[in-house]
Structures are given as C-alpha cells and as structure tokens.
Amino acid sequence: MTLISFPFSAILGWSASRHDAFSFCKRHYYYQYYPKFDSEHSVAKIQTLKGLTSRALAIGSLAHLGIEALLKRLEKSTAPIDLERFSAYMKQQAALFVQQNKFEEEYYKSGAVPDAAELGQAALDYVQQFLNSQRYAWISALPDATRKNWMIEPGGYGETRINDLKAYCKVDFLLQHNGITYIFDWKTGKEDPEKHAKQMLGYALFAHANLGVPFDQIELQLHYLSGTETQVHIGEGDLQKFEERVQSETQEMYSYCSNIESNIPLPKESFPMTEHERLCGYCKFRELCGRA
Ligand code: SF4
C-alpha cells in the first residue's frame, strides 16, 4: 500500500477536534492552537495547561496503547496472548503515563486524582473486551498476506486533502483484505454513533486521497470498546455533505487569521471568552481566564 504524503505548509488544517475547540470557545481555541502569539501568559504556562490530562483521557489513551500493542503482536504471531504478561505491560504503561502527565483533577483540585493501578485496570478491562470480541477473532483469522500492510496507529496526524483543503483524519487501524479497505476507530467514551459516524467519513476521504482507494471499496467500523460495533454506511450525498462541512468550517477558522497562508491569528481580543460560563468548568485554561 503506497501512502501519499504532502509537503509542509503552514496553513491551518481542518480536523474534527480543531473545529470542536473553535466551537467550544474562541479563547479556548486561541490558547490551544496559538499559544506562542499570546503576550499575556508565557508559552510554558499555556503549554502546561494544554498538556493537562484527565481520568477519561488517560483511560482512552492507555486502551488505545494496549490495542496497538496487541495488533502489532498479531502482525507477527497468532499465538495465544500471555494475559499475565500483558496485564503487567498495561500496569507499566499506566505507571509511566502517571509519571509523565499532569492531571486536571490534581491541578484544579476538581476531583480524586486517579492512580496508576486504577487507570491500568480500567484500560485493561477495555482491552480484554476487545480480546474477547468477534472482531479480534476475525482479525486473528485473516490470512498472513494481509498483515504486511496493516496501518496500526500510524505516526503523524493523518494529513490529507479534502477538496484541496488541508485536513487531518487519523485512523486507528486500517487493513486491506479481499479488495476491501477496512478502517477501524476504537472508542472508549460514551456511545454517540451519529456524531462518531460523521467523523468516520473523514477516514474514508483519507483512504481515498492518500491511498487511492475507491469509496465503494471502503468499509468503516466504529468499534466501542464497551462491546458494540457499528458499520458506518456511506450514504448517497454523505461525502459531499462532509466535504461541504469541511469547506465551511475551514473558512470560519480562516476568518480568525490575519494571515491565512502563514496561519497567523488575529489579536487575542478577537477570540472572545465564552458567555456560557458553565463550559469553563470543563476547560483546561480556566486559570488564565480567572474562571477556575
Ligand atoms: S475558561 Fe472559559 S472562557 Fe476561558 S478559555 Fe476556557 S472556556 Fe473559554
């Protein structure tokens, strides 16, 4: 499988998470994407807050890490997993995660600070659900030849082009079998098939633009690690609607740039703080806005 890559460009790239931040609060978006332009707070301070994690995020990251390790092993061997060793690996990863990250719950004293054992166990529970799933059995039974081209948590950000606009759509796992390109997204949070299905259309566009796969040879699977899996059907007009959405959301974000090509933002004052103060309780940057 040959993956097309793109030369560096400074212009902002659409992603579902970037536009989520933009919709949540313009000031939050500014701190998240333009910290070096702020003259009020140091870059180090903003980066510290930006890097805060939470129990939910930690469990999600660790579960993804566990599945990545399982699939990378499966690429080489279908021998049964040594669960004791795997559980020790997850504990070790959780301990490392706690060592290397600061928790929002601790920083803002907003809740009990999760410990490594609790996080490791919660992530392991998700990964075990996956190990017991029909999907894992199906992947394990695939012919050896398919394993050469697995794309497991690929590096980078999944840069692609949607109607010539820069965009980021990073897949969790992609494989090709019998002429079909299967794309999987692992989810640990609350099930929201409608919202998540829309995000997955971006992965279809990624496979089309970066791998040259025709749309009718793509199968999208939304896999909730709580135990359910939904196939996302690409309906007539869905991709066009998605492209139009990317187009209009990119234009909205461009309108907050003083220089679009170089991705220079307007002055901070142009990024107002949200009027919905209840949202600030969910924001990592609340200290900077005096809303902690
Ligand atoms: S604390 Fe509130 S106003 Fe400030 S960036 Fe966060 S969401 Fe926006």
Side-chain angles (χ1 to χ4, degrees):
M1 155 164 45
T2 316
L3 189 63
I4 296 169
S5 56
F6 301 92
F8 172 79
S9 62
I11 196 163
L12 76 79
W14 177 94
S15 71
S17 53
R18 184 174 188 123
H19 194 263
D20 281 350
F22 181 83
S23 308
F24 179 72
C25 165
K26 299 297 178 284
R27 184 62 57 92
H28 171 96
Y29 171 71
Y30 179 85
Y31 286 137
Q32 184 76 22
Y33 290 96
Y34 299 111
K36 70 175 184 191
F37 293 93
D38 192 31
S39 54
E40 190 184 357
H41 306 289
S42 70
V43 177
K45 178 77 185 176
I46 301 173
Q47 292 290 16
T48 299
L49 298 179
K50 184 176 163 177
L52 291 176
T53 189
S54 65
R55 169 184 278 103
L57 287 176
I59 294 170
S61 300
L62 288 165
H64 274 75
L65 211 65
I67 293 180
E68 179 183 349
L70 282 182
L71 293 173
K72 285 191 168 158
R73 181 183 178 279
L74 203 51
E75 253 182 330
K76 299 187 196 96
S77 162
T78 52
I81 304 285
D82 178 338
L83 280 177
E84 217 169 293
R85 267 187 72 191
F86 186 69
S87 161
Y89 168 79
M90 291 300 289
K91 275 188 197 150
Q92 190 192 33
Q93 292 304 313
L96 258 180
F97 190 96
V98 167
Q99 239 176 50
Q100 293 171 349
N101 290 277
K102 280 202 174 101
F103 280 82
E104 206 177 319
E105 289 89 339
E106 184 175 17
Y107 190 87
Y108 285 116
K109 304 196 176 4
S110 58
V113 182
D115 64 34
E118 173 201 346
L119 296 173
Q121 188 55 53
L124 183 62
D125 290 346
Y126 276 126
V127 180
Q128 273 180 327
Q129 284 264 30
F130 176 66
L131 264 177
N132 296 330
S133 69
Q134 286 181 4
R135 179 55 66 191
Y136 183 76
W138 179 84
I139 297 168
S140 304
L142 287 171
D144 280 352
T146 68
R147 290 168 215 277
K148 289 190 199 102
N149 284 325
W150 286 4
M151 202 184 270
I152 306 165
E153 299 277 349
Y157 299 99
E159 183 173 341
T160 187
R161 295 290 177 270
I162 297 179
N163 264 348
D164 291 334
L165 290 172
K166 193 205 265 186
Y168 297 99
C169 302
K170 189 168 183 279
V171 303
D172 284 341
F173 181 41
L174 181 151
L175 67 85
Q176 294 181 316
H177 174 52
N178 279 349
I180 302 292
T181 296
Y182 295 86
I183 301 175
F184 298 91
D185 199 29
W186 321 122
K187 296 275 184 211
T188 47
K190 209 170 137 208
E191 294 191 19
D192 187 347
E194 206 181 313
K195 178 180 166 194
H196 296 145
K198 276 189 201 150
Q199 287 174 3
M200 291 204 73
L201 295 175
Y203 303 144
L205 289 161
F206 166 86
H208 183 70
N210 296 44
L211 295 167
V213 181
F215 291 116
D216 61 357
Q217 291 170 21
I218 295 174
E219 195 173 308
L220 302 170
Q221 297 289 350
L222 185 52
H223 188 104
Y224 290 102
L225 295 170
S226 49
T228 51
E229 186 176 278
T230 311
Q231 183 176 347
V232 176
H233 294 281
I234 306 175
E236 208 181 319
D238 283 353
L239 291 167
Q240 194 188 335
K241 267 191 231 147
F242 188 87
E243 286 172 346
E244 286 165 5
R245 174 187 153 199
V246 169
Q247 172 87 28
S248 76
E249 292 181 356
T250 302
Q251 291 303 333
E252 270 185 89
M253 294 190 286
Y254 280 171
S255 72
Y256 282 74
C257 290
S258 62
N259 181 321
I260 292 174
E261 287 304 320
S262 306
N263 195 15
I264 311 284
L266 291 171
K268 181 170 163 180
E269 299 66 53
S270 307
F271 295 78
M273 294 197 273
T274 180
E275 290 169 2
H276 306 289
E277 286 200 30
R278 62 183 173 77
L279 294 180
C280 301
Y282 302 99
C283 175
K284 296 172 183 180
F285 303 113
R286 54 194 185 268
E287 182 187 355
L288 305 181
C289 299
R291 293 186 176 181

